[in-house]
Amino acid sequence: MKLHELLERLNNLKQMPRTGWLLCNVPLTDVEDVAQHTFDVAAITLLLADELERRGKKLDRERALSMAIVHDWAEASVGDFPYTALKHLGPAGTKKSIEERALEEILNKLPNRIKYLALWREYSEKRTIEAKLVHAADYLSMLVQALKYRERGNRSKELDELWHAVHKDIKIYEKELPSVMALIKELDERYSALP
Amino acid sequence: MKLHELLERLNNLKQMPRTGWLLCNVPLTDVEDVAQHTFDVAAITLLLADELERRGKKLDRERALSMAIVHDWAEASVGDFPYTALKHLGPAGTKKSIEERALEEILNKLPNRIKYLALWREYSEKRTIEAKLVHAADYLSMLVQALKYRERGNRSKELDELWHAVHKDIKIYEKELPSVMALIKELDERYSALP
Amino acid sequence: MKLHELLERLNNLKQMPRTGWLLCNVPLTDVEDVAQHTFDVAAITLLLADELERRGKKLDRERALSMAIVHDWAEASVGDFPYTALKHLGPAGTKKSIEERALEEILNKLPNRIKYLALWREYSEKRTIEAKLVHAADYLSMLVQALKYRERGNRSKELDELWHAVHKDIKIYEKELPSVMALIKELDERYSALP
Amino acid sequence: MKLHELLERLNNLKQMPRTGWLLCNVPLTDVEDVAQHTFDVAAITLLLADELERRGKKLDRERALSMAIVHDWAEASVGDFPYTALKHLGPAGTKKSIEERALEEILNKLPNRIKYLALWREYSEKRTIEAKLVHAADYLSMLVQALKYRERGNRSKELDELWHAVHKDIKIYEKELPSVMALIKELDERYSALP
Amino acid sequence: MKLHELLERLNNLKQMPRTGWLLCNVPLTDVEDVAQHTFDVAAITLLLADELERRGKKLDRERALSMAIVHDWAEASVGDFPYTALKHLGPAGTKKSIEERALEEILNKLPNRIKYLALWREYSEKRTIEAKLVHAADYLSMLVQALKYRERGNRSKELDELWHAVHKDIKIYEKELPSVMALIKELDERYSALP
Amino acid sequence: MKLHELLERLNNLKQMPRTGWLLCNVPLTDVEDVAQHTFDVAAITLLLADELERRGKKLDRERALSMAIVHDWAEASVGDFPYTALKHLGPAGTKKSIEERALEEILNKLPNRIKYLALWREYSEKRTIEAKLVHAADYLSMLVQALKYRERGNRSKELDELWHAVHKDIKIYEKELPSVMALIKELDERYSALP
């Protein structure tokens, strides 16, 4: 794939809906897309990384930012699987290997492909502090977006369930990423203040 | 799942985009959804079935119509996989087994679930004349929709490729479903008359 | 009208808004269209027909499904009259005769036109059990969709009035279609649980 | 109807699609609505009225502007009939009497209702110079909008037919409204320069 | 600029979002545009003008209507500045002079340009009764639209703040335009009846 | 401004249309927003930075990526000025100082605000290789998006003019960023192959 083909392919992420919201009864014309979501994750990663450094935590910001930017590129080929699909995909790890194959195809022949694949793998393994940070940013982005949908009127129980599920998922980062927890507390206040 | 839950779940098909069009650069706000598509397939199945009977072909119209209505219900859970995803899903038959599991879950506890599963399986096995008819209707629906997008201005090479790919897929029904072929010829004329 | 022309015409139903929702202050970009609605009615007809047979009721499922698929084809030509328009159309029966003429024109020269016209007439006369079933499915589809809009935040008094009006309209089928009543009760619970 | 009810009712015109464009295969999410159209007609009426006065033609600008603003209010109740519906509505004049009854209902009890009804009647009778001017503005607004749709890619034969039909309709104003003709010539050049 | 160029330019107002609503968390696909807004302002100006005359107030209705139609033409060139932008634009009066220059450019060479510029200046100076009336109509249009968004589910604090801010802005017209106050009271009742 | 307020504010960028496309007659429901655009710019910056390093060019990738992410944050407050507005804003540099004040307000009290302001200033001064790279990515993002719109059917002369204007703007980076030029050549081929 030539570079211009990759750019056109990534442009498709502006069209790919984040299907979780559709299952929360968000109208198709108001659904967040993967490009918008990636913007969010990258911006939050940047803000949190700087916040962590201010508190004396060391991390490789360049790698964290690159990982945020790359983390959903595979969806240009396979789309965003609805969460209700996950249990039907097959054995644990199937989603990961589908996306990995898709990313490999998209990056095919790109001179720096190894680097992007490595970033994506690091992200999906959730072991380094940079990968954890981007996952936390990913969850925070969901909370902010859920709050926006709730503010627009959405009262589906699925949105409520997603809100609480994200809280559980993000909990494992609590110790390493204290500023995340402060932020969640603020968002909780906003969410529960809505009628 | 209670009946009202199933109805709410099927309502989600009005939100699920047909991802093939997105890959053809159709805007997300103009993408056909699975409910609209199913309407098309059901209507075309009805028209073709009557046409075939007029020509002396016997078929079980009730089963054909039911199959058309049911054929994409699994997508309420797993969405519509982009065609670029198919080769990454795993061994041949993976998509089918994902959708089958999803359909089983959606229909879970419904008294008549066996019937709908059987219809879906018949559809995906493409062996009976009714299943072939619904597949032909599915392809025809894609041609009509592709023509509409082209008429709205779309000139992506992906739309053109899809147009030709559908012609190849539908060819196997040529002998058994002669009225399909006449219809395709008419659509070809419309398509090539566009600038 | 050739068959491909009919298919293109029916494709327009994907564009025709169900105007009742617009009067309930649903945004134009989130309005259900006639094709989506017809999908719903056909799916509900199928589910209810099987449910009734399970309870020992006899009916011609093929005719019921065909009727569901055909019941709004006239709207490809005349659109969906807003309910506020009905009283201004003229003497009782005017809407019916407008739609009948429109359907005749759309089906013009189609070999099987008589069959579709007959199905449509049967539907609008509401006398056979199949016609009643499709009307019940039509009303149920409205309730499910109204619930979805309410869940998305809509609190217009028009939506509330529509909700109650549909209950009244569906009441006449109570005796003949007992499973409809059970379903409505479930939907009522969902509706009143929303804030 | 209290004044605030009338304002809320007129707000619905922002939701009412101009159905002619839908029949030209314009996507529902890109269709002009009646409020946007009325803005156009009022602006063009203002510009043409001043142009005519500059050429020495006398007319009552206040009445022309009021007529432009009021001319589609009935559509808040009855919507915009697709042009394919017109021949099915009944004897000539049926559309007019439907809209007149609808307007009467909307304006019901408004102290100045007589004035608005009179303006609407004057418009639909096309006899005064002011009424002719607003009709010309209405047609011109269609040409400008059709040009925009064509520029966005639309190549439906229906759009082309509408373009030519409007030319015929506007021809009767040629003598009385010479600046309209100059304008049409400019628009024709723009339209035919598009591929 | 030739007349057809001006008409094409004004057509852009159908595309220009009223940015205040976006800041209230209204989805981009549901945002009011400047053309829709202008329709509202023109219709309300007409209704209020007639109401005032009925109460014995003299005013030049033609000038008021023309002003309503023209008041946002500059936005075809500069767009609608978000209210959060205003304090950053520079010294008081900057917005006015930006829009004035833009309007001059748009109207460039139009024979009647002086008239439209004069109308726009009169509007922005808020001194004549006609200018005050159009400003009151502009504020009322915002209240009706805010009510519609709230009815669709929006519960952002920004919408609430806008609602109250508009009340303060409109207060200065209380004495001169008594029917405005009656209308606001009715709208307040509607707004506070929503959950 | 607390961190959660900043995140909610940045979420608004998903709603802010890139107004240049609206002036090219792209429908409002299909317009790119600032968040989508920023995703593009960040991804292209990453790809180009790696490409340049591969060719032996040294640059600070972390700073380039951060700059890409931050470069349009001010638009959460002031929106995206239409390019037709620029000449009316006042003396050269006015846009820059408006955006700078807006960014300062948005970042108000954030501990790391100085860093983001510095990044934004570096970007707008276009002097460092990192700033030039992000500008080149910004222009490339416009070319890819313009190509997409053209492929969807858009044939406005404004789109064509924008295409050529971007070529001129990007020319100054030709020497320092050779891989940009190769990319543009590929995009040109794609663009001119469209009918």
Side-chain angles (χ1 to χ4, degrees):
Chain A
M1 194 172 277
K2 287 187 182 167
L3 192 49
H4 83 93
E5 285 173 308
L6 178 59
L7 298 194
E8 289 188 55
R9 200 74 178 264
L10 293 180
N11 195 290
N12 281 351
L13 295 174
K14 300 177 185 175
Q15 305 258 76
M16 286 292 169
R18 300 256 301 158
T19 55
W21 305 123
L22 299 175
L23 297 169
C24 292
N25 198 14
V26 167
L28 185 51
T29 47
D30 187 29
V31 73
E32 186 195 36
D33 58 62
V34 179
Q36 292 173 324
H37 165 71
T38 302
F39 160 70
D40 247 15
V41 176
I44 299 174
T45 297
L46 175 62
L47 289 161
L48 290 180
D50 289 332
E51 190 64 17
L52 284 171
E53 292 224 333
R54 219 176 39 92
R55 292 168 183 238
K57 195 114 191 176
K58 274 273 157 292
L59 48 75
D60 182 338
R61 282 182 300 195
E62 189 220 324
R63 228 169 68 246
L65 294 177
S66 301
M67 216 182 284
I69 292 166
V70 166
H71 86 288
D72 272 343
W73 283 8
E75 300 194 1
S77 169
V78 297
D80 175 43
F81 295 118
Y83 62 81
T84 45
L86 299 189
K87 66 169 156 297
H88 304 304
L89 288 185
T94 303
K95 179 171 177 268
K96 199 187 148 190
S97 54
I98 293 171
E99 293 186 346
E100 191 161 10
R101 284 192 294 267
L103 189 59
E104 277 170 357
E105 186 217 355
I106 288 174
L107 297 175
N108 172 33
K109 290 190 191 156
L110 199 74
N112 302 307
R113 59 195 287 280
I114 300 302
K115 173 179 170 176
Y116 305 120
L117 282 165
L119 281 168
W120 182 85
R121 282 186 197 115
E122 183 182 343
Y123 171 72
S124 44
E125 281 157 14
K126 308 186 194 184
R127 273 198 294 255
T128 61
I129 182 67
E130 289 79 10
K132 289 172 184 175
L133 179 64
V134 179
H135 275 282
D138 188 80
Y139 289 131
L140 282 168
S141 137
M142 275 189 254
L143 292 181
V144 175
Q145 191 60 48
L147 178 62
K148 290 278 176 178
Y149 284 132
R150 197 169 168 87
E151 203 178 69
R152 281 175 204 167
N154 192 295
R155 287 299 173 274
S156 70
K157 67 176 190 310
E158 287 82 2
L159 189 69
D160 237 29
E161 288 165 4
L162 181 148
W163 180 264
H164 292 106
V166 170
H167 277 73
K168 271 171 73 176
D169 288 334
I170 213 174
K171 225 182 155 50
I172 53 173
Y173 305 118
E174 201 164 12
K175 272 215 198 101
E176 280 185 282
L177 305 169
S179 57
V180 169
M181 291 304 124
L183 195 43
I184 287 174
K185 224 183 127 225
E186 291 170 11
L187 291 168
D188 281 343
E189 271 168 41
R190 285 275 288 120
Y191 192 82
S192 43
L194 287 169
Chain B
M1 194 172 276
K2 288 188 180 165
L3 193 48
H4 83 93
E5 285 173 310
L6 178 58
L7 298 193
E8 291 188 53
R9 201 72 177 265
L10 293 180
N11 195 290
N12 281 351
L13 294 174
K14 299 177 187 173
Q15 306 258 80
M16 285 292 169
R18 300 257 301 158
T19 54
W21 306 122
L22 298 175
L23 297 168
C24 292
N25 198 15
V26 167
L28 185 51
T29 47
D30 186 29
V31 73
E32 187 197 35
D33 57 64
V34 179
Q36 292 173 325
H37 166 71
T38 303
F39 160 71
D40 246 14
V41 177
I44 299 174
T45 297
L46 175 62
L47 289 162
L48 290 180
D50 289 332
E51 190 65 16
L52 285 171
E53 293 225 331
R54 218 174 41 93
R55 294 168 181 235
K57 194 116 194 176
K58 275 274 157 291
L59 47 75
D60 182 339
R61 281 183 300 194
E62 190 220 323
R63 228 171 65 249
L65 294 177
S66 302
M67 214 182 284
I69 292 166
V70 167
H71 86 288
D72 272 343
W73 283 7
E75 299 194 359
S77 169
V78 297
D80 175 43
F81 295 118
Y83 60 81
T84 46
L86 299 189
K87 65 169 156 297
H88 304 304
L89 287 185
T94 303
K95 178 170 178 270
K96 202 190 144 188
S97 54
I98 292 172
E99 293 185 347
E100 191 161 11
R101 285 194 292 268
L103 188 60
E104 278 172 355
E105 186 216 355
I106 289 174
L107 297 175
N108 172 34
K109 291 189 190 158
L110 199 75
N112 301 308
R113 58 195 286 281
I114 300 302
K115 173 180 171 176
Y116 305 121
L117 281 165
L119 282 168
W120 183 85
R121 281 186 197 115
E122 184 182 344
Y123 171 73
S124 45
E125 280 157 14
K126 309 186 194 184
R127 273 197 295 253
T128 62
I129 181 68
E130 289 80 10
K132 288 172 186 173
L133 179 65
V134 180
H135 276 282
D138 189 80
Y139 289 131
L140 283 168
S141 137
M142 275 189 253
L143 292 181
V144 176
Q145 192 60 48
L147 178 61
K148 289 279 177 177
Y149 285 132
R150 196 169 168 88
E151 203 178 68
R152 282 174 203 167
N154 192 296
R155 287 301 173 272
S156 69
K157 69 175 188 309
E158 288 81 2
L159 190 69
D160 236 29
E161 289 164 3
L162 182 148
W163 180 264
H164 292 105
V166 170
H167 276 72
K168 272 170 72 175
D169 288 333
I170 213 172
K171 224 178 158 50
I172 53 172
Y173 305 118
E174 203 163 10
K175 273 213 198 104
E176 280 185 282
L177 305 170
S179 56
V180 169
M181 289 305 125
L183 196 42
I184 287 174
K185 223 182 129 225
E186 291 169 13
L187 292 169
D188 281 343
E189 271 167 40
R190 285 275 287 120
Y191 192 82
S192 43
L194 287 168
Chain C
M1 195 174 276
K2 288 187 180 166
L3 192 48
H4 82 93
E5 285 173 311
L6 178 58
L7 298 193
E8 290 187 55
R9 200 73 179 264
L10 293 180
N11 195 290
N12 281 351
L13 294 174
K14 300 177 186 175
Q15 306 258 78
M16 285 291 169
R18 299 257 301 158
T19 54
W21 306 122
L22 298 176
L23 297 169
C24 292
N25 197 15
V26 167
L28 185 51
T29 49
D30 187 28
V31 73
E32 186 195 35
D33 57 63
V34 179
Q36 292 173 324
H37 166 71
T38 303
F39 160 70
D40 247 14
V41 176
I44 299 174
T45 297
L46 175 62
L47 289 162
L48 289 180
D50 290 332
E51 190 65 16
L52 285 171
E53 292 225 332
R54 218 176 40 91
R55 295 170 182 236
K57 194 115 192 176
K58 275 273 158 293
L59 46 77
D60 182 339
R61 282 184 300 197
E62 190 220 323
R63 228 171 65 246
L65 294 177
S66 302
M67 215 182 283
I69 292 166
V70 167
H71 85 288
D72 273 344
W73 284 7
E75 300 194 359
S77 168
V78 296
D80 175 43
F81 295 118
Y83 61 81
T84 45
L86 299 188
K87 65 169 158 294
H88 304 305
L89 287 185
T94 302
K95 178 169 177 270
K96 201 188 145 189
S97 54
I98 293 171
E99 293 186 345
E100 191 161 11
R101 284 192 294 267
L103 189 60
E104 277 172 355
E105 186 216 354
I106 288 174
L107 298 174
N108 171 35
K109 290 189 190 158
L110 199 73
N112 302 306
R113 59 194 286 282
I114 300 301
K115 173 179 171 176
Y116 305 121
L117 281 165
L119 282 167
W120 183 85
R121 281 185 198 115
E122 183 182 344
Y123 170 73
S124 47
E125 280 156 15
K126 309 187 195 184
R127 273 196 295 252
T128 62
I129 181 67
E130 289 79 10
K132 288 172 185 174
L133 180 65
V134 179
H135 275 282
D138 189 80
Y139 289 131
L140 282 167
S141 138
M142 275 189 253
L143 292 181
V144 175
Q145 191 60 48
L147 178 61
K148 289 279 176 178
Y149 285 132
R150 196 170 168 87
E151 203 178 70
R152 281 175 203 167
N154 191 295
R155 288 299 173 274
S156 71
K157 67 175 191 311
E158 287 82 2
L159 189 68
D160 237 28
E161 289 164 4
L162 180 147
W163 180 265
H164 292 106
V166 170
H167 276 73
K168 272 171 72 175
D169 288 334
I170 213 173
K171 224 179 157 50
I172 53 173
Y173 306 118
E174 204 164 9
K175 271 214 199 104
E176 280 184 282
L177 305 169
S179 57
V180 169
M181 291 304 125
L183 196 43
I184 288 174
K185 224 184 126 223
E186 291 169 15
L187 291 168
D188 281 342
E189 271 167 41
R190 287 274 288 119
Y191 192 83
S192 43
L194 287 168
Chain D
M1 193 172 277
K2 286 185 180 169
L3 192 48
H4 82 94
E5 286 173 308
L6 177 59
L7 297 194
E8 289 188 54
R9 200 74 178 265
L10 293 180
N11 195 290
N12 282 351
L13 294 174
K14 299 177 186 174
Q15 307 257 78
M16 285 292 169
R18 299 257 302 158
T19 55
W21 307 122
L22 299 175
L23 297 169
C24 293
N25 197 15
V26 167
L28 185 51
T29 48
D30 186 30
V31 73
E32 185 195 37
D33 57 62
V34 180
Q36 292 173 325
H37 166 70
T38 303
F39 159 70
D40 248 14
V41 177
I44 299 174
T45 298
L46 175 62
L47 289 161
L48 290 180
D50 289 333
E51 190 66 14
L52 285 172
E53 293 225 332
R54 218 175 41 92
R55 293 168 183 239
K57 195 116 191 176
K58 274 274 156 292
L59 47 75
D60 181 340
R61 282 183 301 194
E62 189 220 324
R63 228 170 68 247
L65 294 177
S66 302
M67 216 182 284
I69 292 166
V70 167
H71 86 289
D72 272 343
W73 283 8
E75 299 194 1
S77 168
V78 297
D80 175 43
F81 295 118
Y83 60 81
T84 46
L86 299 189
K87 66 170 156 295
H88 304 304
L89 288 185
T94 304
K95 178 171 178 267
K96 200 189 146 189
S97 55
I98 293 172
E99 293 186 346
E100 189 161 12
R101 285 192 293 267
L103 189 60
E104 277 171 357
E105 186 216 355
I106 288 174
L107 297 175
N108 171 35
K109 290 189 191 157
L110 199 75
N112 301 306
R113 61 196 285 279
I114 300 303
K115 172 180 172 177
Y116 305 121
L117 282 165
L119 281 167
W120 183 85
R121 281 186 198 116
E122 182 182 344
Y123 171 73
S124 45
E125 281 157 13
K126 309 185 194 184
R127 273 198 295 253
T128 62
I129 181 68
E130 288 80 9
K132 289 172 185 175
L133 179 65
V134 179
H135 275 282
D138 189 80
Y139 289 130
L140 282 168
S141 137
M142 276 189 253
L143 292 181
V144 176
Q145 191 60 47
L147 178 62
K148 290 278 177 178
Y149 285 132
R150 197 170 168 87
E151 202 178 69
R152 282 174 203 167
N154 193 296
R155 287 300 173 274
S156 71
K157 67 177 189 310
E158 288 82 2
L159 189 68
D160 237 28
E161 289 164 4
L162 182 146
W163 180 263
H164 292 106
V166 170
H167 277 72
K168 271 170 72 176
D169 288 334
I170 213 174
K171 226 179 154 50
I172 53 172
Y173 305 118
E174 203 163 11
K175 272 215 198 104
E176 279 184 283
L177 305 169
S179 55
V180 169
M181 290 304 125
L183 196 43
I184 287 175
K185 222 182 130 227
E186 292 169 12
L187 291 168
D188 281 343
E189 273 168 39
R190 286 275 288 120
Y191 191 82
S192 44
L194 287 168
Chain E
M1 193 172 277
K2 285 186 182 168
L3 192 47
H4 83 94
E5 285 174 308
L6 177 58
L7 297 194
E8 289 188 55
R9 200 73 178 263
L10 293 181
N11 195 291
N12 282 350
L13 294 174
K14 299 177 186 174
Q15 306 257 78
M16 286 292 169
R18 298 257 302 158
T19 54
W21 306 122
L22 298 175
L23 298 169
C24 293
N25 197 16
V26 167
L28 185 51
T29 48
D30 186 29
V31 74
E32 185 195 39
D33 56 62
V34 179
Q36 292 174 323
H37 165 70
T38 302
F39 160 70
D40 247 15
V41 176
I44 299 174
T45 297
L46 174 62
L47 288 162
L48 290 180
D50 289 332
E51 190 66 16
L52 285 172
E53 294 225 332
R54 217 176 40 93
R55 294 170 183 234
K57 194 115 192 176
K58 275 274 158 291
L59 47 77
D60 181 339
R61 282 184 299 194
E62 190 222 322
R63 228 170 66 245
L65 294 177
S66 302
M67 215 183 283
I69 292 166
V70 166
H71 85 288
D72 272 343
W73 283 7
E75 299 195 0
S77 168
V78 296
D80 176 42
F81 296 117
Y83 61 81
T84 45
L86 300 189
K87 65 169 157 295
H88 303 305
L89 287 185
T94 303
K95 178 171 178 268
K96 201 188 146 190
S97 53
I98 292 171
E99 294 186 345
E100 190 160 12
R101 284 193 294 267
L103 189 59
E104 277 171 356
E105 186 215 356
I106 289 173
L107 298 174
N108 172 34
K109 290 191 191 155
L110 199 74
N112 302 306
R113 58 194 288 278
I114 299 302
K115 172 179 170 176
Y116 304 122
L117 282 164
L119 281 168
W120 184 85
R121 281 185 197 117
E122 182 181 345
Y123 171 73
S124 45
E125 281 157 13
K126 308 186 194 185
R127 274 198 293 254
T128 62
I129 182 67
E130 288 80 10
K132 288 171 185 175
L133 179 65
V134 180
H135 275 281
D138 188 81
Y139 289 130
L140 282 168
S141 138
M142 276 188 252
L143 292 181
V144 175
Q145 191 59 48
L147 178 62
K148 289 279 177 179
Y149 284 132
R150 196 170 169 88
E151 203 178 68
R152 281 175 202 167
N154 191 295
R155 287 302 173 272
S156 70
K157 66 176 191 308
E158 287 82 1
L159 189 69
D160 237 29
E161 289 164 3
L162 181 148
W163 180 264
H164 292 106
V166 170
H167 276 73
K168 271 170 74 175
D169 288 335
I170 213 173
K171 225 181 155 49
I172 52 172
Y173 306 118
E174 202 164 11
K175 271 214 200 105
E176 280 184 282
L177 305 169
S179 56
V180 169
M181 291 304 125
L183 196 43
I184 287 174
K185 222 181 129 226
E186 291 170 13
L187 292 168
D188 281 343
E189 271 167 41
R190 286 274 289 120
Y191 192 83
S192 43
L194 287 168
Chain F
M1 195 173 277
K2 286 187 181 167
L3 192 48
H4 83 94
E5 285 173 309
L6 177 59
L7 298 193
E8 289 188 54
R9 199 73 177 265
L10 293 180
N11 195 290
N12 282 350
L13 294 174
K14 299 177 187 174
Q15 306 257 76
M16 285 292 170
R18 300 256 302 157
T19 54
W21 307 123
L22 299 175
L23 297 170
C24 292
N25 197 15
V26 167
L28 185 51
T29 49
D30 187 29
V31 73
E32 185 195 37
D33 57 62
V34 179
Q36 293 173 323
H37 165 71
T38 302
F39 160 70
D40 247 15
V41 176
I44 299 174
T45 297
L46 175 62
L47 289 161
L48 290 181
D50 289 332
E51 189 65 16
L52 285 172
E53 293 225 332
R54 217 175 43 90
R55 294 169 181 236
K57 194 115 191 177
K58 276 274 158 290
L59 47 75
D60 182 339
R61 283 183 300 196
E62 191 221 321
R63 227 169 67 245
L65 295 177
S66 302
M67 216 183 282
I69 293 166
V70 167
H71 86 288
D72 271 344
W73 283 8
E75 299 193 1
S77 169
V78 298
D80 175 43
F81 297 117
Y83 62 80
T84 44
L86 299 190
K87 65 169 158 295
H88 304 304
L89 287 185
T94 303
K95 180 172 177 268
K96 201 189 145 189
S97 54
I98 292 172
E99 293 187 347
E100 191 161 12
R101 284 193 294 268
L103 188 60
E104 277 171 356
E105 186 216 356
I106 288 174
L107 297 175
N108 173 33
K109 290 189 192 158
L110 199 75
N112 302 305
R113 59 195 287 280
I114 300 302
K115 172 179 170 177
Y116 305 121
L117 282 164
L119 281 167
W120 184 85
R121 280 183 198 118
E122 183 182 344
Y123 171 74
S124 45
E125 281 158 13
K126 308 187 194 183
R127 273 197 294 252
T128 62
I129 181 68
E130 289 79 10
K132 288 172 185 174
L133 179 65
V134 179
H135 275 282
D138 190 80
Y139 289 131
L140 283 168
S141 138
M142 275 188 254
L143 292 181
V144 176
Q145 192 59 49
L147 178 61
K148 290 278 177 178
Y149 285 132
R150 195 168 169 89
E151 203 179 69
R152 282 175 203 166
N154 192 296
R155 288 300 173 274
S156 69
K157 67 176 191 308
E158 287 81 2
L159 189 68
D160 237 28
E161 289 164 3
L162 181 148
W163 179 264
H164 292 106
V166 170
H167 277 72
K168 271 170 74 176
D169 288 334
I170 213 173
K171 225 179 156 50
I172 53 172
Y173 305 118
E174 202 164 11
K175 272 212 198 105
E176 280 183 284
L177 305 169
S179 56
V180 169
M181 290 305 124
L183 196 43
I184 287 175
K185 221 180 131 230
E186 291 169 14
L187 292 169
D188 281 342
E189 271 167 41
R190 286 274 289 118
Y191 192 82
S192 43
L194 288 168

